[in-house]
Amino acid sequence: GSKIEDSSKFCIHCGNNLLDASDTPITTPTPVSERTVISGYEGLSGWLAVVGLGLFVRLFYSLKLVYTDASYFNDGTVDSVSSLVQGYSGALGFELLMGIGLSVAVIYLMYLYFKKKKNFPKYFIYYLIADVAFGVLGYFIMSSLAVYSDEARQVITDILSEQESTIFSAIVFAVIWILYMKKSKRVKNTFIND
């Protein structure tokens, strides 16, 4: 019942040959679900495997950061630097809490990822945004510290320089993976469990 052009050789809707229309019975095609049309695009393979690997790497990196920051409090580094940089212990404490929070978030994301939960793409996007936001906030906290010596100023400058490159990488990473989560057929077909 769909309209087609008179000069068409095949129906653009069902694929029937129109040249032999008198010989061929017209049948209505069986509706095909979107899931069937894009089958083959499901599962934790392809670029989604990279996302899974990235979660493991991110968890390792976050836990390493937490361990390093915690060790600064235990070995006296914070006390010695705090005498030269006012507020350093607070900034490092914020970074430590941020690292713990992001580590917990990654563990939860890994659970959603391997269970193929419907909320994984949304929460992964939130995580990427939070990672960038915490990086920017940490940068501004570190740059606002009062420094009492040239040596301490150089240390803070080096830390800020490293944070700038980390923030830039996080932004690029976030943009790429947010677009992937929004556009990918594999993501839509894989994360379907409640």
Side-chain angles (χ1 to χ4, degrees):
S2 300
K3 291 188 176 190
I4 55 173
E5 292 185 27
D6 293 335
S7 61
S8 297
K9 296 178 183 178
F10 295 94
C11 175
I12 61 169
H13 303 285
C14 68
N16 279 336
N17 182 350
L18 299 177
L19 296 178
D20 296 330
S22 59
D23 300 337
T24 307
I26 297 176
T27 58
T28 305
T30 306
V32 180
S33 71
E34 181 181 344
R35 186 139 170 89
T36 305
V37 170
I38 51 179
S39 67
Y41 288 102
E42 67 259 346
L44 300 176
S45 57
W47 287 106
L48 273 182
V50 176
V51 172
L53 180 63
L55 288 173
F56 279 107
V57 170
R58 184 60 192 188
L59 179 62
F60 173 77
Y61 177 75
S62 293
L63 291 175
K64 181 177 176 267
L65 229 94
V66 166
Y67 175 78
T68 303
D69 290 347
S71 69
Y72 289 155
F73 282 101
N74 291 333
D75 67 8
T77 302
V78 170
D79 294 333
S80 63
V81 174
S82 291
S83 64
L84 301 172
V85 181
Q86 183 181 2
Y88 180 75
S89 63
L92 192 62
F94 171 77
E95 189 174 299
L96 178 62
L97 289 176
M98 179 182 65
I100 292 170
L102 290 176
S103 296
V104 170
V106 170
I107 291 169
Y108 182 62
L109 283 171
M110 291 170 79
Y111 164 78
L112 294 176
Y113 174 84
F114 286 109
K115 292 291 186 176
K116 299 177 184 172
K117 296 287 188 176
K118 192 181 293 185
N119 288 333
F120 174 77
K122 177 174 63 171
Y123 289 154
F124 185 65
I125 290 170
Y126 292 161
Y127 168 80
L128 294 172
I129 293 169
D131 187 38
V132 171
F134 284 146
V136 170
L137 185 58
Y139 178 86
F140 283 116
I141 289 172
M142 191 64 73
S143 66
S144 67
L145 299 178
V147 181
Y148 299 123
S149 74
D150 290 336
E151 180 183 346
R153 187 172 291 108
Q154 184 58 45
V155 169
I156 295 298
T157 302
D158 292 344
I159 290 171
L160 291 174
S161 176
E162 183 180 322
Q163 283 183 336
E164 286 172 0
S165 64
T166 302
I167 291 169
F168 178 76
S169 298
I171 290 170
V172 170
F173 185 82
V175 168
I176 290 169
W177 289 112
I178 288 171
L179 288 173
Y180 177 75
M181 288 292 145
K182 293 281 193 186
K183 302 285 185 186
S184 170
K185 294 174 186 175
R186 185 177 299 279
V187 169
K188 288 181 178 100
N189 284 337
T190 299
F191 299 106
I192 56 173
N193 298 332
D194 287 325

